[in-house]
Amino acid sequence: MFRKEWIMAMSLVGAVTVSGEPVAANVLAKPIVQTSFSLYDVSVKHPSYEPFQWAIANGYIKINKNAKVKGKTVTLVYPNATYKEADALMGITKYFWRKEVAQTKPANKKNSASVYYQVAQRKKLPVKSSYKSKSSPTLTKGHLAVLLVSAHYGKPVTLDHAIQRLYQAGITNGNKVGNGYPKTKESFGVNDKVTKSTFVLWMYNYNINKSKLNNVTVKKPPQTDENVPEKYKGRIKVEFGDYAIYTHYGRTYQTRNQQEYDTAFNIIKTRVEQLKKEGWFTKPDNTVYQSYWLYYKEGKRPSDYPEGHVLNWALGFVEQDKDYKELIQKGFTVEELLKLAKISELAFALEAEAMAMDPGTVKPRSIYDSLVNRQYDCDTTANVMMAIADIMGYDSLILASPTHGDCYIKFKGEWFSGANLMTDVVLKSLEQGTHYLYTPPKTGLK
């Protein structure tokens, strides 16, 4: 909501300008439709003035035509207001599927954006909330990039892909660093909150430059393929506009540059190779917590151990665990399940050994953040787990909600969290729109 003190401030200074998001070189092209009224809180000289006029005329944003300032009735657009996902979906769905939006009936009286969420979910946009929810999450530049580029291509795209495409098409230049715009993932401002001004500029620039998304020319990084150092040959290159990270499995695990990737990934790879040689992933007797699966299969029961013993509790858990029976019926062996469980255990162990702490900022994202900078969050754990899964030969995905992210590992067409079967949870979460693919699998969902 637009706060009263902002209106009071504007009443003292008159028309204000909008700061922040840089404008593409051709942003001053005339809008398709021009409105006939002036905007009180956006200067007519500001580059966002005409984009706002265009967005208003097409119904992509909400405004207040009857705002009272100094006793006068003026039009306020609130350019610096923080945007929610629902606000963005209003503009995006109307732009791409206006007719379908008009034909869709509200599904939730308590959610004024239910129409836009219904259309977005039918079009498989990776939304973080749904029409069933009473609230909408705050929008970040990273998520807006994914929504916009996904809508363009008609299918969900990764964050890295979205950033690369927006840079290449000139839809955004990212944040200014020093005297320029380096157009890196870090300078993109993935976690920056989106203002209405930013949203309007991106939509306006997209409308002008969208053809470039279908015919992009990839800039080569400072090191061209022909001059890649020997240690990077054979790796998979992940590009970010004017630079790249050479990866082992086509994933960066949210690292921001080559140095971060190499340092953190080497920590994980060294430990996994060491444990594989020691047989840690296959020996059921070296980690009691996982061993109960095998003990139960061999006939051990809770009554075989005194009350309070870890196996008394663990085997009792097995007896009541429906997943265990279902997994055995599906043909999974205990040895296979132990290996999956130990991948999860190792991810937590690596971060614990690094003495990583939760800073409470929700900023830690990458394997470098937790294993080197010693700051963790659910995102870092999920990325560490994904890296281990890649090394071990499993596909995986990271499923996220507005407040949490988890890594799930694919094995024999099913999705697991540790040794727990989670296929239904993963698929239903995506279908219902409560979660989205933070990092998609390489081999598909099924």
Side-chain angles (χ1 to χ4, degrees):
M1 294 294 292
F2 192 72
R3 298 175 62 182
K4 289 183 179 179
E5 51 264 42
W6 295 352
I7 295 179
M8 292 175 63
M10 285 188 296
S11 69
L12 297 174
V13 300
V16 298
T17 59
V18 183
S19 62
E21 182 70 20
V23 183
N26 57 354
V27 76
L28 296 181
K30 292 296 181 183
I32 295 175
V33 181
Q34 180 74 34
T35 58
S36 58
F37 50 83
S38 62
L39 309 178
Y40 184 83
D41 51 348
V42 180
S43 170
V44 68
K45 296 181 180 180
H46 195 273
S48 69
Y49 185 82
E50 289 190 356
F52 264 111
Q53 294 274 4
W54 170 79
I56 293 168
N58 285 283
Y60 299 144
I61 61 173
K62 294 178 181 179
I63 62 172
N64 185 353
K65 292 183 180 180
N66 300 303
K68 300 293 183 180
V69 178
K70 293 183 178 181
K72 296 181 179 180
T73 299
V74 300
T75 298
L76 294 177
V77 298
Y78 316 131
N80 297 317
T82 300
Y83 239 38
K84 300 286 188 179
E85 180 183 65
D87 299 321
L89 290 181
M90 172 183 169
I92 290 173
T93 56
K94 282 186 176 182
Y95 183 95
F96 288 93
W97 308 288
R98 182 179 290 275
K99 185 176 180 181
E100 190 167 341
V101 169
Q103 295 174 344
T104 300
K105 297 180 179 180
N108 185 347
K109 294 181 179 180
K110 296 182 179 180
N111 185 348
S112 60
S114 64
V115 168
Y116 313 128
Y117 271 107
Q118 288 181 79
V119 175
Q121 288 174 227
R122 285 199 293 267
K123 300 303 179 181
K124 306 299 182 183
L125 291 189
V127 294
K128 295 185 177 182
S129 188
S130 74
Y131 68 87
K132 297 179 181 179
S133 177
K134 296 180 182 178
S135 61
S136 179
T138 299
L139 192 68
T140 63
K141 286 185 178 180
H143 188 45
L144 176 56
V146 171
L147 289 175
L148 184 57
V149 179
S150 294
H152 175 85
Y153 288 113
K155 61 181 181 180
V157 301
T158 65
L159 174 63
D160 293 347
H161 182 80
I163 292 173
Q164 180 185 15
R165 290 295 183 261
L166 292 185
Y167 275 154
Q168 291 171 344
I171 293 169
T172 177
N173 290 323
N175 296 327
K176 189 174 183 179
V177 179
N179 295 321
Y181 297 91
K183 294 184 179 179
T184 63
K185 185 176 182 180
E186 188 171 9
S187 67
F188 188 84
V190 171
N191 298 312
D192 292 352
K193 293 180 180 179
V194 173
T195 64
K196 183 182 284 189
S197 176
T198 298
F199 176 76
V200 168
L201 284 168
W202 282 23
M203 288 295 294
Y204 190 84
N205 288 352
Y206 170 81
N207 184 62
I208 297 172
N209 299 316
K210 58 188 175 183
S211 62
K212 297 179 182 179
L213 291 173
N214 298 325
N215 184 27
V216 294
T217 56
V218 180
K219 294 181 180 179
K220 288 192 174 183
Q223 292 177 324
T224 62
D225 289 341
E226 294 77 13
N227 299 316
V228 174
E230 189 66 31
K231 63 180 180 179
Y232 294 150
K233 288 185 177 178
R235 291 195 187 183
I236 301 171
K237 183 169 64 174
V238 178
E239 295 179 300
F240 301 94
D242 56 356
Y243 80 103
I245 296 178
Y246 294 90
T247 72
H248 291 83
Y249 298 97
R251 287 168 168 155
T252 65
Y253 315 112
Q254 297 300 312
T255 53
R256 292 167 281 269
N257 53 55
Q258 192 70 57
Q259 182 269 329
E260 285 191 4
Y261 174 86
D262 287 338
T263 302
F265 186 81
N266 187 58
I267 292 173
I268 299 171
K269 188 170 185 290
T270 300
R271 175 57 69 85
V272 171
E273 290 177 348
Q274 173 195 346
L275 294 176
K276 286 173 73 174
K277 289 180 180 178
E278 295 175 357
W280 185 81
F281 288 99
T282 56
K283 289 181 181 178
D285 60 344
N286 58 14
T287 307
V288 174
Y289 184 72
Q290 279 80 25
S291 298
Y292 65 77
W293 294 95
L294 184 58
Y295 292 156
Y296 193 90
K297 184 179 180 182
E298 291 178 343
K300 300 292 185 181
R301 293 297 180 265
S303 58
D304 296 333
Y305 300 89
E307 187 174 348
H309 193 287
V310 67
L311 284 177
N312 176 277
W313 167 84
L315 293 170
F317 179 80
V318 170
E319 285 189 332
Q320 302 175 33
D321 190 0
K322 296 179 181 179
D323 282 345
Y324 174 81
K325 296 178 182 179
E326 182 181 355
L327 289 168
I328 297 301
Q329 290 173 355
K330 287 178 175 289
F332 294 100
T333 68
V334 173
E335 290 78 8
E336 291 171 335
L337 299 175
L338 283 175
K339 188 179 293 186
L340 294 173
K342 288 186 176 183
I343 291 175
S344 298
E345 179 182 336
L346 181 57
F348 290 104
L350 284 170
E351 293 193 325
E353 291 170 7
M355 300 181 69
M357 302 291 289
D358 183 356
T361 61
V362 200
K363 290 185 177 181
R365 302 282 181 182
S366 72
I367 58 176
Y368 188 86
D369 288 336
S370 63
L371 301 184
V372 181
N373 287 339
R374 298 181 177 180
Q375 293 189 340
Y376 83 90
D377 196 1
C378 56
D379 289 358
T380 68
T381 306
N383 277 297
V384 171
M385 198 177 299
M386 176 168 275
I388 298 170
D390 280 339
I391 297 169
M392 293 291 293
Y394 297 94
D395 193 11
S396 59
L397 62 80
I398 296 178
L399 190 69
S401 70
T403 58
H404 187 65
D406 279 307
C407 179
Y408 296 92
I409 296 173
K410 192 175 187 179
F411 182 60
K412 293 185 176 179
E414 302 283 0
W415 290 101
F416 287 84
S417 175
N420 298 313
L421 185 62
M422 301 293 287
T423 302
D424 287 344
V425 172
V426 171
L427 297 180
K428 287 181 181 179
S429 296
L430 291 171
E431 181 182 346
Q432 295 172 358
T434 58
H435 292 67
Y436 66 101
L437 286 174
Y438 185 83
T439 304
K442 299 177 183 177
T443 57
L445 287 172
K446 298 180 180 178

